Amino acid sequence: MLGFMRFVATRAAMALVTLVIVSLVVFSLMELVPGDCAERYLAFKNTQGSGISVADIEAERVRLGLDRPFLERWTSWLFNAFRGDFGDSCILRLNISQLLGDKFWLSLSICLASLVLAYAIALPVGIIAAASHNAVLNNVLRFVSYLGLAMPNFLLALIIMLISTVYFGDTLTGLFSDQYRDAPWSWAKFLDMLGHAWLPVFILGWSATAFALQTVRALMSDEIGKLYVTAASARGVHGRKLLWRYPARHALGPIINSLGFDLNRIFNELPIVALILTLTEAGSLLIEALARSNDQQLAGAIIFMLTASIVTLNFATDVLLAVLDPRVRKSIIR
């Protein structure tokens, strides 16, 4: 138990150090963007018809604290970020935490639900496909997984929207009905969201399921042919018990370790799907901040929060792997 607690503490410290390094990279990239917040904000105001001068820019820099040294500004931003305060948006001049509101957590929930859906399908189906010698079943699963990898998520979203519009008269866009879009959270609003969220979850889980299915099938196929499985079979262990107790258990390690990567890949696909389905979530705000308004404060906050979510998930999967895999536990004790 002492070795396990030492392992957890070490992984937690590594996760914290990773977040600090990521924050330095994100903040440095924010600083490397041509022009600072003061210049971009005053330039935006100038497009509305008000003139600016060098004195105005310098005064705005002082007000925003941009005249302080880089290390001092980064340290302040880091401590505030860990408290959930990312300051104000460069262009909109709104508090980023209020601007994001529930959008980031809705986005993260959709991505996590897609990840759960992908592995809930891929794990049992991949194990069955690896253990089965049925050529028809294997060919069908191979075709479905290749189709999932080949068909982009946005194309699948357009196809589903087209079919729904033509045959049912509903575009299936948005996360809420009109009466719940701006309403405070309630049980009725939550149920309304569940009635709309299944589509982005299904679309994002489409390619994730295909990718996970290929991974699980490949890992299981490699483990099934090893000597320890043959020895267990010779001792009289057969069927489902043999699969889950030996090859499936050993194949779980790489699968669990890939969860953070899969979450990041799903979030990267979310903005395009969100634009097609007109979802108001963090992915759309990230595109708005990076490509249109050039609001590095808002973009940096979203990227840091996403990275923090992935690092937290990786930490949880490391601990889970240590619990499930005896090889990891023995390496901890040693």
Side-chain angles (χ1 to χ4, degrees):
M1 179 59 68
L2 182 61
F4 181 76
M5 296 304 296
R6 189 183 303 116
F7 169 81
V8 173
T10 302
R11 287 295 187 272
M14 291 174 61
L16 184 61
V17 171
T18 301
L19 282 179
V20 172
I21 295 175
V22 167
S23 71
L24 177 60
V25 173
V26 171
F27 191 81
S28 300
L29 292 176
M30 290 162 53
E31 293 288 308
L32 290 175
V33 175
D36 53 29
C37 274
E39 293 178 359
R40 276 194 299 279
Y41 175 66
L42 292 177
F44 173 78
K45 286 183 62 178
N46 190 40
T47 61
Q48 307 300 316
S50 58
I52 59 174
S53 63
V54 176
D56 293 332
I57 296 177
E58 292 300 324
E60 186 68 14
R61 283 175 176 163
V62 172
R63 192 185 73 82
L64 296 175
L66 299 178
D67 57 330
R68 295 180 298 168
F70 172 85
L71 186 60
E72 181 181 346
R73 287 185 285 116
W74 167 63
T75 305
S76 176
W77 186 84
L78 174 62
F79 281 110
N80 290 331
F82 276 107
R83 294 187 304 162
D85 181 13
F86 294 94
D88 294 337
S89 166
C90 280
I91 305 301
L92 302 177
R93 289 305 163 94
L94 297 174
N95 184 271
I96 292 177
S97 300
Q98 296 178 358
L99 182 62
L100 285 176
D102 299 327
K103 294 182 179 65
F104 179 80
W105 303 114
L106 285 174
S107 303
L108 185 61
S109 299
I110 291 174
C111 293
L112 288 174
S114 303
L115 188 64
V116 171
L117 174 66
Y119 279 94
I121 297 174
L123 281 176
V125 174
I127 291 173
I128 293 172
S132 174
H133 299 289
N134 189 319
V136 176
L137 176 62
N138 285 327
N139 288 331
V140 169
L141 291 177
R142 187 177 293 111
F143 172 76
V144 172
S145 60
Y146 287 161
L147 182 63
L149 294 174
M151 180 181 292
N153 287 333
F154 70 88
L155 181 58
L156 177 63
L158 289 173
I159 293 174
I160 294 177
M161 288 177 61
L162 178 62
I163 295 175
S164 177
T165 303
V166 172
Y167 291 99
F168 303 102
D170 186 2
T171 60
L172 298 178
T173 56
L175 275 179
F176 301 99
S177 302
D178 293 337
Q179 63 269 31
Y180 292 108
R181 185 171 293 114
D182 298 320
W185 278 103
S186 62
W187 181 248
K189 181 175 181 177
F190 177 73
L191 293 178
D192 180 75
M193 183 197 71
L194 292 182
H196 292 79
W198 69 268
L199 181 57
V201 169
F202 171 75
I203 292 173
L204 291 171
W206 169 263
S207 60
T209 301
F211 189 86
L213 181 60
Q214 292 278 36
T215 303
V216 173
R217 189 175 183 277
L219 290 171
M220 282 294 299
S221 298
D222 182 62
E223 291 292 333
I224 284 178
K226 291 186 176 178
L227 290 178
Y228 73 91
V229 180
T230 305
S233 178
R235 292 197 304 268
V237 184
H238 298 289
R240 190 181 306 171
K241 184 177 180 180
L242 174 67
L243 287 177
W244 286 103
R245 187 173 180 180
Y246 292 99
R249 191 173 182 180
H250 286 77
L252 280 177
I255 296 172
I256 292 175
N257 280 332
S258 67
L259 290 178
F261 167 76
D262 290 337
L263 178 63
N264 183 40
R265 187 162 47 82
I266 291 174
F267 191 91
N268 290 337
E269 297 172 351
L270 178 61
I272 299 177
V273 175
L275 289 177
I276 294 174
L277 298 179
T278 62
L279 306 179
T280 304
E281 44 68 64
S284 299
L285 281 178
L286 182 59
I287 289 182
E288 176 72 26
L290 289 175
R292 298 178 182 174
S293 62
N294 198 17
D295 193 331
Q296 82 260 29
Q297 292 293 117
L298 178 59
I302 297 174
I303 293 173
F304 181 79
M305 292 176 70
L306 173 62
T307 306
S309 302
I310 294 173
V311 170
T312 302
L313 179 61
N314 284 333
F315 168 71
T317 54
D318 284 344
V319 176
L320 179 62
L321 184 60
V323 173
L324 295 177
D325 196 331
R327 296 172 297 179
V328 177
R329 288 201 301 273
K330 290 181 180 179
S331 68
I332 294 171
I333 296 175
R334 291 173 186 172

